[in-house]
Amino acid sequence: MIKEREEIAEIYKWNLEKLYSDEDKWISDTEYVDKLIEEVETYRGKVGKSVENLLGVVEAELEINRKLENIYTYSKMKLDENTSSDRYQGMVDRGQVLSVKASEACSYIVPELMALEEEKLEELIGDKKLEQYRHYLRDILRGKSHTLSEAEEMILASVGEISGSSYQLYSMMNDADLRFPEIEDENGNMVEITHGNYIPFMESGDRRVRKDAFQSLYKTYSGFKNTFATSLGSEVKKNRFYSKTRKYGSSLEHALHGDNIPVAVYENLIEAVEKNVDKMHSYISLRKKAMKLDEIHMYDLYTPMVKDIEMKIEYEEAKRMVLEGLEALGEEYLEVVKEGLDSRWIDVYESRGKRSGAYSWGTYDSEPYILLNYHDTLDNVFTLAHEMGHSVHSYYSRENQPYVYGGYSIFLAEIASTVNEVLLINHLIANTENREKKKYFLNHYLEQFRGTVYRQTMFAEFEKIIHERVEAGGALTAESLSAIYSGLNRKYYGEEIVLDPGIEVEWARIPHFYYNFYVYQYATGFSAAVYFAERIISGDVEARDLYIEFLKSGSSDYPTEILRKAGLDMTSSEPIEKALEKFGELVAEYEALIDVEEEKEA
């Protein structure tokens, strides 16, 4: 039975008082932001007149953003405690309205900067008074050559709502209108397939259930493939329109501009994974062998190769496991983890009305809070380690950087969380004598590689191909999209797997293809995490210390430069190849275990 929030002990609930000790202070901050908005208006038309004006407007805008983050985050986290609360929904709405008001008030700042002559800009930014904000301002000004006239910018802004129509069409079809048939589950019950239960069906130990779910889902998508092709084609054309209008060489270049990521990072990822695709083919063969299949199908990829092992892990035991798993990171790191575990950063248990899932969140002025809905499973232990990785990253960034650089980009975000997961799984594999448990842990790790490196890179290559086709004047149809996608599945998974009818339209159910070249970051982040973790596990103290410095860097430089300082060059293929070398070792280790079993059986 789900508990009421009042029934859960205080030690298992986050303490939001560091953010606001009472709601009167929250109200006071909303009033303060209104005054700051009035102040920022006084600089309109004067931003480039003097160093003092530029400094004043930058600090006013940053202070507005800092307070707004506190206002919104507090109200949203309180709402997440009980999603039915009208009080906190009202506070969230108030925060959103205030954010829009602030955004409108500050909208003149960047255009006024962009309008200045290059020589005048350099003179202002070079002043010692603006030293702390130099990287921040230079980053804004990187977009100068891609900024249009005021009239043209207004036209682009006015079509902003229209530009989201392709995703809206996709979302309405996929999430609202699409209905999947019922199938018979493992227990003989007729159950309707949904987006939520499809993957659990694919993880089923009953092959008939997996096959029925697969065929039913993709038969439904196939019936609407032309509509989905139209929406995805429109999305690609939209990206092409914006990249051409803003004078970028390609849609990919435009998408990577925000974090100043070289196109070579994207291309090297695809190239490195392609060079190591034989290791995925070996994994497919291993799956077929481990599962004792005559032939392996697409619907056999998600189910565990080893029978599910029941592991009931209570939260206090999970804390101990995480601390043990992260020992290689050293005492300084562990002290921060212990503080998080013992100082009510974490909202641990499910309660009535609480938001589902898990996240790490907070602001520059708060603790790096974690929301969990902890159940006594191994997956939840990994969730704790993962979210703690995000939170320690946030803690270090905020402790060591001023507010302006206290956050970090998406390109870097998943590295810290995944390092923790990799360290934990390596610890479990190395310290498990039970053969079935070792196979279970190896299966978990192998699937992370398959799902995060190979699969996301396949998605990234698909995005690149379809955008290049449109940029070359070609068209995207259901048939062409399916042919491209089918070819990629054959390349990534090899000749041994059966490409079941329907898999060619899987592109129609992937929402990330509307996120403008987003998914490659999952693969680069995981690869970087494995690269760091392997060096840390080896006992390389210098590598560990450089990793900690990376966590402290926030956004004080561009993501690839921050990683370079930590000893990792993401513009080369080395980190990807090193990670996939580890994948190959894991495949061999699992195969050795089942070879021993087969010898015993013989």
Side-chain angles (χ1 to χ4, degrees), residues 302-315:
Y302 288 87
T303 188
M305 294 185 289
V306 61
K307 186 178 178 182
D308 194 20
I309 294 176
E310 288 294 325
M311 298 179 67
K312 183 177 171 62
I313 305 167
E314 294 184 355
Y315 180 66

Side-chain angles (χ1 to χ4, degrees), residues 204-465:
S204 171
D206 187 328
R207 199 175 191 210
R208 191 269 311 159
V209 170
R210 299 199 302 269
K211 181 179 179 180
D212 287 353
F214 179 93
Q215 291 180 338
S216 299
L217 182 104
Y218 287 115
K219 184 178 181 181
T220 304
Y221 275 105
S222 294
F224 296 94
K225 63 183 180 182
N226 292 310
T227 302
F228 283 114
T230 300
S231 66
L232 183 55
S234 297
E235 178 71 12
V236 174
K237 289 174 185 175
K238 178 201 78 175
N239 293 339
R240 178 57 176 151
F241 165 74
Y242 279 112
S243 66
K244 281 185 69 177
T245 304
R246 292 202 176 278
K247 305 177 184 134
Y248 288 93
S250 66
S251 299
L252 176 58
E253 182 186 323
H254 185 197
L256 301 185
H257 175 87
D259 283 335
N260 201 25
I261 305 295
V263 171
V265 171
Y266 199 100
E267 293 174 337
N268 284 339
L269 168 68
I270 295 172
E271 182 182 333
V273 172
E274 188 168 7
K275 278 176 61 179
N276 288 274
V277 78
D278 59 309
K279 296 179 176 65
M280 175 52 62
H281 299 171
S282 296
Y283 178 50
I284 297 301
S285 297
L286 170 64
R287 269 196 161 270
K288 181 180 175 183
K289 180 179 179 180
M291 296 169 70
K292 297 181 169 58
L293 300 173
D294 292 331
E295 57 182 22
I296 184 165
H297 289 251
M298 296 303 295
Y299 49 77
D300 295 319
L301 292 180
Y302 288 87
T303 188
M305 294 185 289
V306 61
K307 186 178 178 182
D308 194 20
I309 294 176
E310 288 294 325
M311 298 179 67
K312 183 177 171 62
I313 305 167
E314 294 184 355
Y315 180 66
E316 293 300 326
E317 173 66 7
K319 288 163 60 176
R320 183 192 64 77
M321 288 173 65
V322 169
L323 287 168
E324 285 184 0
L326 302 182
E327 279 183 0
L329 285 168
E331 196 55 40
E332 177 190 340
Y333 187 96
L334 288 179
E335 284 301 316
V336 181
V337 175
K338 289 173 186 173
E339 181 180 346
L341 292 172
D342 299 335
S343 300
R344 294 180 60 195
W345 289 7
I346 309 172
D347 209 75
V348 179
Y349 293 115
E350 184 179 12
S351 59
R352 191 172 303 283
K354 182 178 173 181
R355 172 186 162 148
S356 61
Y359 63 64
S360 168
W361 201 18
T363 73
Y364 190 81
D365 300 305
S366 79
E367 309 288 18
Y369 295 109
I370 296 172
L371 180 136
L372 298 177
N373 281 275
Y374 189 85
H375 295 277
D376 299 344
T377 67
L378 180 64
D379 280 348
N380 278 231
V381 179
F382 278 104
T383 300
L384 174 60
H386 181 101
E387 301 303 340
M388 186 58 75
H390 284 310
S391 285
V392 176
H393 191 184
S394 298
Y395 175 90
Y396 272 134
S397 292
R398 294 164 189 167
E399 286 290 311
N400 292 276
Q401 298 296 331
Y403 170 74
V404 65
Y405 306 125
Y408 43 82
S409 74
I410 295 295
F411 187 82
L412 300 177
E414 290 303 319
I415 296 175
S417 56
T418 307
V419 163
N420 280 14
E421 286 198 69
V422 171
L423 291 174
L424 178 56
I425 194 65
N426 273 282
H427 172 77
L428 292 173
I429 292 168
N431 292 279
T432 302
E433 298 298 328
N434 182 289
R435 187 181 299 274
E436 288 304 299
K437 280 189 177 181
K438 189 179 286 284
K439 284 162 60 180
Y440 185 78
F441 295 145
L442 284 168
N443 187 132
H444 178 94
Y445 200 6
L446 286 164
E447 275 300 287
Q448 285 187 306
F449 272 98
R450 183 186 72 81
T452 311
V453 181
Y454 283 98
R455 182 169 166 81
Q456 300 302 326
T457 302
M458 185 180 81
F459 287 172
E461 186 170 0
F462 178 75
E463 283 189 89
K464 186 171 184 289
I465 291 169

Side-chain angles (χ1 to χ4, degrees), residues 26-42:
W26 184 90
I27 294 168
S28 178
D29 265 2
T30 64
E31 294 167 350
Y32 177 51
V33 168
D34 274 324
K35 291 178 183 176
L36 287 172
I37 289 171
E38 292 175 11
E39 179 185 332
V40 88
E41 287 283 4
T42 65

